Amino acid sequence: MRDEGQLGLLEMTDDPSRDRPLFFLTNRMNLNTILGSRLIAPREAYQKYYADLLDLTPRWVPLLTTPPAKAQLDIVTAERGSGSAVVVELSGDVGNREGSLPADGVVYLHAAKIADARAIHFPDERSLREHRARVYGNVHPHDDLLRVTPELFSGDGVELAIASPRETPSPDWRRIDRIRGAASAAVGYATTSGRLALAASLLGGTVDDPGIELPPWLNWAALDDLVHGESEGGTASPDAVTFSAVYDVLAESDIADSWSPGTVLSAVVERVEAASLTDDDLGLVMRNLQRVRQLVDAEVEFEPFRSTTSALLSAKALILVLLRPNLADLLAWPDSETGADGATQLVAAIFAGRLRGSGREDVALRSLSFDDATASWAVQVAAHPGVAAPRIDFVWDGPQVSIAGGAAPEVEPTYGTESGEGAVVVAAAYSELGSRSKAAARLRVARKLGWPVTTVVKVPAGSEVTSDGDVVRVVGVDAVKLVDSISESQFLALAARIRPDQVDDALSAMRQRRR
């Protein structure tokens, strides 16, 4: 049943003040990918995929103008494990945008962003409950979009011929995700006023601070490598070449499949050797990479960086990401232990984001509005494949960043300067706790502030476990134990984004002792 006040299909189509909606039909498992990436993209964009209508339209996204027919519903639920059918309802004006091709009962798009969704419809309460039962760290909260609308799934829709309307080149969706991941990680790094200014400078903002300076080759053009070319204002400096080599190698690596720092480093060396460097510059880079090799092979111990003229920024950042490839772990690494300056930390974050991409990164390290901003960019890229990607024109104003030209209304990548200072206070208080006290303190703070925790159910040996829908029964002699926890890396990542009004509560919870 629908809650009173929710908009159902009949109300929306009968109301002349509303435009006619469009419907993207898929299944519950593919919906997780869509929500993680904030994009409805063609089949080519998926790594893990369950058959739906995208199989019928290579390189295109089909949007229905009416509720789906039974044959279409059967397609999206035929594959084992796909879950129930799901309909993403989009604003009708999506079909009027550049690159869309209307046909009989279908509008074909290159891609669409989930920010244009009006609602996400499920056929019944059970399927919605199944969706809500699973929480994924890479999916932003979206309860406001969820609806139960049985009439959309009656199967009474008109049978349609659905196929790609014409041949079109496909952009490199994996690389698009990796570019978005690199940019998102740069924003995720910006948790203090100084870091904000560095991220602003990278993303194209004008920063009125003579103390903030990045190398000329480190800019948005260096991150956008869909069409390879020389960075704006850049030259083939040793640092720029090293950055490009690392950036390229990480785009082709996938930590979810395998992770070998030595293999990554060898690939970086090959690319540097193939670059156009003078003998002196090549020697400088190789000496830096030899130091990286010694650390990776544990021939020498890692020590905080010292300021030297021969140490390349990109090589130091490579060391950090090879030692801590996970972005949360990297950002939680205290400055006092790394000795890294702001620019080195920023580049290391970019490398970590490049390695994982945007769609799979934990939302604790991502900004929803910034994700939607880069999703807007991705939709533009999809409409113009094979062409240099349009630059995102970021306009920076303190902690606010917006995109020129109306690609996205307003983006708030961080909570601002005060939040960054509060994060430092909380992190410092946490570091002063004894090792035996930290786990309990993390849990107290998480519960106080409503942060997510992991609950492990310990079932005694010999117990009989059965399930019926959302009810699990355990029959045994000994009691079941529930153990809640939050990992240190997740705690520190969330603490880095603590709001100013949460700091006192966090400190109070941290100081509490079990009675």
Side-chain angles (χ1 to χ4, degrees):
M1 296 178 61
R2 281 198 322 276
D3 294 337
E4 289 298 318
Q6 288 186 348
L7 293 174
L9 174 66
L10 297 179
E11 290 90 338
M12 286 182 286
T13 55
D14 289 345
D15 185 348
S17 67
R18 294 183 176 273
D19 57 359
R20 190 174 185 84
L22 296 171
F23 304 108
F24 176 69
L25 175 64
T26 185
N27 51 59
R28 184 165 51 80
M29 296 308 294
N30 286 345
L31 177 65
N32 295 329
T33 298
I34 291 169
L35 292 172
S37 67
R38 305 291 297 173
L39 278 173
I40 302 175
R43 167 67 182 89
E44 291 77 12
Y46 289 72
Q47 287 185 295
K48 188 173 184 180
Y49 175 77
Y50 293 81
D52 66 2
L53 300 188
L54 295 177
D55 265 343
L56 306 177
T57 59
R59 302 180 180 181
W60 291 90
V61 173
L63 302 182
L64 306 177
T65 60
T66 59
K70 182 180 183 304
Q72 295 158 359
L73 291 167
D74 290 342
I75 289 173
V76 304
T77 56
E79 188 169 348
R80 182 181 178 85
S82 62
S84 67
V86 174
V87 169
V88 180
E89 179 190 333
L90 298 166
S91 171
D93 65 356
V94 170
N96 299 322
R97 296 177 185 173
E98 182 181 6
S100 64
L101 291 178
D104 184 20
V106 186
V107 175
Y108 296 96
L109 300 179
H110 294 286
K113 58 185 189 294
I114 203 67
D116 285 325
R118 284 178 169 176
I120 299 172
H121 299 277
F122 291 81
D124 49 47
E125 292 287 353
R126 181 171 183 173
S127 58
L128 176 57
R129 185 172 62 244
E130 281 292 308
H131 175 73
R132 282 181 164 150
R134 292 163 175 79
V135 178
Y136 298 93
N138 66 322
V139 173
H140 289 288
H142 55 281
D143 271 9
D144 58 313
L145 292 175
L146 303 181
R147 306 283 190 274
V148 173
T149 316
E151 56 264 41
L152 271 176
F153 301 87
S154 65
D156 296 333
V158 179
E159 293 281 357
L160 299 170
I162 300 177
S164 296
R166 60 176 171 79
E167 288 294 319
T168 184
S170 177
D172 187 339
W173 285 104
R174 176 187 172 114
R175 191 167 291 269
I176 287 174
D177 178 63
R178 297 303 183 90
I179 293 170
R180 294 179 67 205
S184 176
V187 172
Y189 154 84
T191 56
T192 67
S193 56
R195 291 182 172 193
L196 278 168
L198 280 172
S201 181
L202 169 77
L203 298 175
T206 301
V207 180
D208 187 18
D209 185 344
I212 300 298
E213 185 176 353
L214 291 176
W217 50 265
L218 186 55
N219 48 42
W220 169 248
L223 303 189
D224 170 21
D225 63 342
L226 274 177
V227 177
H228 290 277
E230 189 174 292
S231 299
E232 294 181 8
T235 59
S237 69
D239 229 347
V241 168
T242 306
F243 174 89
S244 296
V246 176
Y247 198 65
D248 283 348
V249 170
L250 293 178
E252 298 170 3
S253 306
D254 193 335
I255 195 170
D257 293 337
S258 62
W259 176 243
S260 170
T263 301
V264 170
L265 181 56
S266 296
V268 170
V269 170
E270 288 182 11
R271 278 172 168 75
V272 169
E273 289 177 335
S276 300
L277 286 172
T278 66
D279 290 342
D280 288 344
D281 286 345
L282 180 59
L284 173 62
V285 175
M286 288 305 175
R287 287 191 294 276
N288 274 262
L289 295 182
Q290 179 57 32
R291 178 64 175 175
V292 179
R293 175 72 69 184
Q294 291 174 334
L295 287 165
V296 166
D297 293 344
E299 295 175 3
V300 298
E301 294 183 356
F302 175 78
E303 296 181 353
F305 298 130
R306 295 186 295 269
S307 179
T308 65
T309 56
S310 59
L312 298 177
L313 181 158
S314 50
K316 291 189 292 184
L318 175 60
I319 290 173
L320 297 181
V321 80
L322 289 181
L323 295 179
R324 293 199 180 189
N326 181 279
L327 181 60
D329 295 336
L330 180 66
L331 295 180
W333 204 349
D335 301 355
S336 59
E337 294 184 10
T338 66
D341 60 18
T344 301
Q345 294 171 337
L346 174 62
V347 173
I350 290 169
F351 285 164
R354 176 73 160 185
L355 177 61
R356 191 171 180 85
S358 173
R360 293 182 296 175
E361 190 55 80
D362 196 306
V363 295
L365 304 171
R366 290 159 49 191
S367 157
L368 171 60
S369 48
F370 191 84
D371 280 353
D372 287 338
T374 58
S376 294
W377 166 78
V379 170
Q380 295 176 47
V381 171
H384 303 281
V387 182
R391 170 178 172 153
I392 300 180
D393 294 319
F394 293 95
V395 181
W396 193 270
D397 179 18
Q400 300 287 325
V401 62
S402 58
I403 295 184
E410 202 173 62
V411 182
E412 300 173 2
T414 66
Y415 290 111
T417 304
E418 295 82 1
S419 171
E421 293 171 353
V424 171
V425 172
V426 172
Y430 175 74
S431 66
E432 293 174 359
L433 298 175
S435 58
R436 294 184 178 181
S437 303
K438 285 186 173 180
R442 293 196 301 267
L443 193 56
R444 289 196 301 270
V445 173
R447 286 171 170 163
K448 181 71 173 180
L449 302 185
W451 292 349
V453 300
T454 298
T455 300
V456 176
V457 181
K458 295 186 176 181
V459 179
S463 299
E464 179 183 350
V465 182
T466 60
S467 63
D468 180 15
D470 56 356
V471 176
V472 177
R473 295 180 176 85
V474 179
V475 180
V477 176
D478 298 321
V480 172
K481 294 182 179 179
L482 302 180
V483 180
D484 292 341
S485 66
I486 176 171
S487 69
E488 185 168 68
S489 61
Q490 184 182 15
F491 174 83
L492 291 173
L494 291 166
R497 276 162 179 70
I498 193 167
R499 298 196 309 269
D501 62 297
Q502 295 178 317
V503 172
D504 287 343
D505 285 342
L507 295 176
S508 175
M510 207 176 296
R511 296 187 188 109
Q512 290 176 5
R513 293 290 184 270
R514 182 179 295 176
R515 296 178 180 179

